[in-house]
Amino acid sequence: MDVLIPLALLAVGLIIGFFVARYVYTRDDGAKASAQAEKNIKEIMAQQAEHHIHQTRQTIEAIENQCEALRQQVEEYDALLTQNLDDDTPRVPFYGEQATTYLRNNLKGKEKAKQKVTPDTQPRDFANAGSGLFVGSSKQSAADKK
């Protein structure tokens, strides 16, 4: 019996020691794991921020290029306007002026040559028996009276 009590106490001490050691190590591992997770999150956020800044810089450069192109176009347009205001004769002839002159000259000649012919009779109907509009009396239709 003298041997049994110390062995029982030794077994109880080992069991208690095992759970205490497990608790202490898991608490330290949990703190280390949470610190490692926090460090990983900070690295990921830093990478995302760097990527966002890079994209923002590219967007700003694109906008600046577009603004510069627009500025050049406005300056060219302004230069064209000032050139046309300085000279009374335009450098490029206006198409409308030539077209108007051409149409005016050609339409007058065609109106003179064109004669208005209104036949008093209807055209001949070449069907065997009279059909359609050409059947009927030789009276003037309402359209011809107008």
Side-chain angles (χ1 to χ4, degrees):
M1 232 356 189
D2 289 333
V3 177
L4 197 57
I5 292 178
L7 286 177
L9 287 176
L10 180 64
V12 171
L14 286 176
I15 293 172
I16 292 174
F18 173 75
F19 285 112
V20 169
R22 185 174 172 198
Y23 174 74
V24 169
Y25 285 122
T26 56
R27 185 180 64 184
D28 289 342
D29 289 342
K32 288 179 183 177
S34 66
Q36 184 65 28
E38 185 176 331
K39 183 180 176 184
N40 290 341
I41 290 173
K42 285 182 181 180
E43 288 177 3
I44 291 172
M45 300 232 353
Q47 289 174 354
Q48 288 178 350
E50 183 178 332
H51 181 68
H52 178 69
I53 289 172
H54 178 68
Q55 284 183 336
T56 304
R57 285 185 179 148
Q58 286 181 341
T59 305
I60 289 172
E61 288 176 7
I63 291 172
E64 286 175 348
N65 291 339
Q66 289 177 352
C67 286
E68 184 63 32
L70 179 64
R71 192 173 291 122
Q72 288 175 354
Q73 290 175 357
V74 168
E75 288 174 1
E76 290 173 3
Y77 181 68
D78 187 35
L80 286 174
L81 287 178
T82 55
Q83 286 176 358
N84 285 339
L85 292 178
D86 294 342
D87 300 335
D88 288 338
T89 58
R91 295 184 187 263
V92 178
F94 183 62
Y95 174 74
E97 293 174 4
Q98 293 174 354
T100 305
T101 306
Y102 177 78
L103 290 174
R104 188 178 321 129
N105 292 335
N106 285 341
L107 286 179
K108 286 183 180 179
K110 286 184 181 180
E111 288 176 356
K112 292 176 184 175
K114 188 176 182 182
Q115 297 175 359
K116 293 187 178 181
V117 177
T118 55
D120 293 336
T121 60
Q122 295 180 351
R124 293 182 62 187
D125 187 9
F126 291 102
N128 288 339
S131 64
L133 293 173
F134 306 121
V135 175
S137 64
S138 62
K139 295 180 185 178
Q140 282 186 332
S141 65
D144 290 340
K145 291 179 183 177
K146 290 182 182 178

